[in-house]
Amino acid sequence: GAYLKKRLSELMDKHEIIGDVRGLGLMVGVEIVKDRKTKEKARKLRDNIVKNAVQQQRLWVLGAGQNVIRMTPSYIITKENIDDVADRLDVAIKSSI
């Protein structure tokens, strides 16, 4: 879980639309915002990212709440798998902005 949060936090450094990365263990949420300072929710952008992640990147993620992308990978997962997840999510974000 710590490695997954680390990799997703690296995406936060690359993309201003990621307002927060939080979670417990392997259940992690990535908050999508219009403005990181005000934390204004970016609902449609979150929906577009989820759609792209699932349809184009074959990354199974879910929307949670109004503006969070939820990830709940298998308990049996390697660092290579997590790296692949982070890379696919990165592409989905870039394609949706």
Side-chain angles (χ1 to χ4, degrees), residues 42-77:
R43 296 175 181 117
K44 289 185 180 186
L45 180 55
R46 187 279 313 263
D47 292 344
N48 289 339
I49 294 169
V50 169
K51 183 177 178 181
N52 184 287
V54 172
Q55 293 179 352
Q56 303 298 318
Q57 305 307 315
R58 303 294 187 234
L59 179 63
W60 296 107
V61 295
L62 298 169
Q66 296 179 23
N67 67 317
V68 175
I69 297 170
R70 180 188 312 169
M71 300 185 148
T72 54
S74 169
Y75 290 134
I76 301 171
I77 191 167

Side-chain angles (χ1 to χ4, degrees), residues 12-26:
M12 187 173 169
D13 294 337
K14 289 176 69 174
H15 301 287
E16 286 292 318
I17 62 158
I18 298 178
D20 192 20
V21 175
R22 59 183 176 267
L24 181 62
L26 286 172

